[in-house]
Amino acid sequence: MKKYISLLITICLFLFSCQQRATKDKTENKIQYTVANDSVTYHYNKGWQQIMDEGNYATAEVSYRKALKLDPDFLIGKSILARLTTNLEERISLYNELEQHKASIKGDERLVLDVYIALTRFTNIREQEPEKAEATLADVFVLAEKNLRKIVHKYPDEVYLKSEYIEILHAVHGAKKALDSVEVLASAKQKENPFILGYTAIMEADLGHYKTAVEKAQLLKNIINDSSIPKPDAVLADVYFKMDSLKKAKKHADRAFELDPRNLDASRLKSRIDQKLDSLKTQEVF
């Protein structure tokens, strides 16, 4: 009897050890932020999902404000709010706070924070001194590529940081290299993440792979399966615009903009589509 009890204890200890190791491995695959409590983390993660997966910028801003109400010292959350707010005065104030307190953040979290502070600075310069914006953005890209490369290789489960890294690669090196990096960096599950799936559709369209682009965009729409979420329409608008199918692009851009006027992708694309359509009408007149 004692033999069986001893065996049972050994098995339980083994299972407990495996569970602890699995939990530890899972934790080590994600960056650990300096944050007050789980409620703050919940609103922070929800905000990322709303921005990246849904394209709901307005509701994401609400989530980040909730996180900061619970923890006003959460600098990463503050840096994302600074990127989201359309109020220049607030953004300048947030930037100054971030610069003042960033020394309190160390390690990998600081690598991310430095990128977000640099992006905030660029946005401020773009509004205040537009002639300096291009050179500033080039510097931001260098920093972002270097810092985020370290993060995505060290924390493979950080799908949203991985997504931002892919965006940087696309901006700096073009669609081909960015798509190649998706193949290497993203797991099978991550390739079906709404942001990554939608962004690969857009990059396929950049390369002229229109059939693949439309298929990926339609797959995204089917996966989300919610007409109240602007992300699929924003992606389809971008793909059709690159295909020069302006009427289809306008339909989807207008719908995405209607669902969330704060969606930067949709609003900027809508302006470009409308400008091109107006230009074509002017040419027809003459």
Side-chain angles (χ1 to χ4, degrees):
M1 184 68 177
K2 288 182 179 180
K3 179 181 178 182
Y4 291 118
I5 292 174
S6 177
L7 180 60
L8 181 61
I9 291 172
T10 302
I11 292 171
C12 289
L13 287 172
F14 174 75
L15 292 174
F16 179 70
S17 174
C18 289
Q19 185 179 16
Q20 280 191 316
R21 193 180 303 116
T23 302
K24 185 173 183 288
D25 290 344
K26 187 175 181 180
T27 301
E28 288 177 348
N29 282 340
K30 285 202 168 189
I31 191 168
Q32 298 300 298
Y33 293 117
T34 306
V35 62
N37 55 55
D38 290 344
S39 295
V40 179
T41 303
Y42 168 79
H43 290 299
Y44 172 77
N45 290 333
K46 186 176 182 182
W48 267 122
Q49 180 184 349
Q50 288 163 330
I51 293 174
M52 304 296 272
D53 295 350
E54 301 174 7
N56 279 317
Y57 284 62
T59 54
E61 182 177 334
V62 172
S63 293
Y64 288 115
R65 291 190 187 281
K66 286 180 179 178
L68 289 170
K69 188 175 181 179
L70 292 168
D71 183 1
D73 298 323
F74 182 32
L75 294 189
I76 287 287
K78 191 169 289 187
S79 70
I80 299 178
L81 177 61
R83 295 171 62 190
L84 273 175
T85 181
T86 58
N87 185 313
L88 176 60
E89 186 177 337
E90 180 184 34
R91 195 185 312 116
I92 291 172
S93 175
L94 289 168
Y95 173 76
N96 290 335
E97 289 180 44
L98 291 164
E99 280 289 327
Q100 182 181 352
H101 298 292
K102 67 183 182 182
S104 65
I105 302 299
K106 308 295 183 183
D108 295 331
E109 182 178 7
R110 178 62 183 273
L111 292 178
V112 177
L113 181 63
D114 283 346
V115 173
Y116 293 171
I117 291 175
L119 286 166
T120 302
R121 178 173 178 269
F122 161 71
T123 306
N124 290 341
I125 286 175
R126 186 175 58 189
E127 289 194 39
Q128 294 176 296
E129 302 175 275
E131 70 279 1
K132 297 181 180 179
E134 186 175 348
T136 302
L137 185 59
D139 292 338
V140 173
F141 282 156
V142 171
L143 175 70
E145 184 176 357
K146 180 184 70 172
N147 286 13
L148 293 181
R149 182 189 296 117
K150 294 177 183 176
I151 295 298
V152 300
H153 284 285
K154 189 172 180 179
Y155 304 100
D157 288 347
E158 285 287 0
V159 66
Y160 298 127
L161 290 173
K162 192 173 290 185
S163 297
E164 291 211 295
Y165 179 59
I166 297 301
E167 286 186 283
I168 297 296
L169 292 180
H170 181 214
V172 176
H173 301 289
K176 177 66 168 60
K177 180 166 183 178
L179 279 169
D180 289 344
S181 295
V182 171
E183 283 301 310
V184 173
L185 292 173
S187 66
K189 183 179 179 181
Q190 287 173 343
K191 286 172 185 173
E192 291 190 356
N193 165 269
F195 179 85
I196 291 181
L197 178 59
Y199 204 66
T200 55
I202 290 168
M203 293 190 292
E204 292 285 5
D206 279 345
L207 296 172
H209 305 158
Y210 299 131
K211 184 175 182 293
T212 301
V214 172
E215 287 174 352
K216 285 181 177 289
Q218 290 292 348
L219 177 59
L220 171 66
K221 184 177 180 179
N222 294 338
I223 288 173
I224 290 181
N225 193 29
D226 187 340
S227 59
S228 69
I229 291 178
K231 171 62 84 174
D233 283 300
V235 171
L236 281 163
D238 203 331
V239 168
Y240 283 127
F241 181 67
K242 288 178 169 65
M243 294 171 62
D244 211 28
S245 298
L246 296 182
K247 289 184 179 179
K248 288 183 178 180
K250 178 173 174 54
K251 180 185 76 171
H252 288 289
D254 287 348
R255 186 181 297 159
F257 181 78
E258 182 182 349
L259 290 169
D260 182 8
R262 290 284 309 282
N263 184 304
L264 295 178
D265 298 326
S267 60
R268 290 169 182 165
L269 191 55
K270 176 176 164 57
S271 297
R272 292 171 64 195
I273 293 168
D274 289 341
Q275 287 174 6
K276 191 164 185 178
L277 286 170
D278 288 343
S279 175
L280 290 174
K281 286 179 183 177
T282 303
Q283 292 175 21
E284 288 175 2
V285 171
F286 290 98

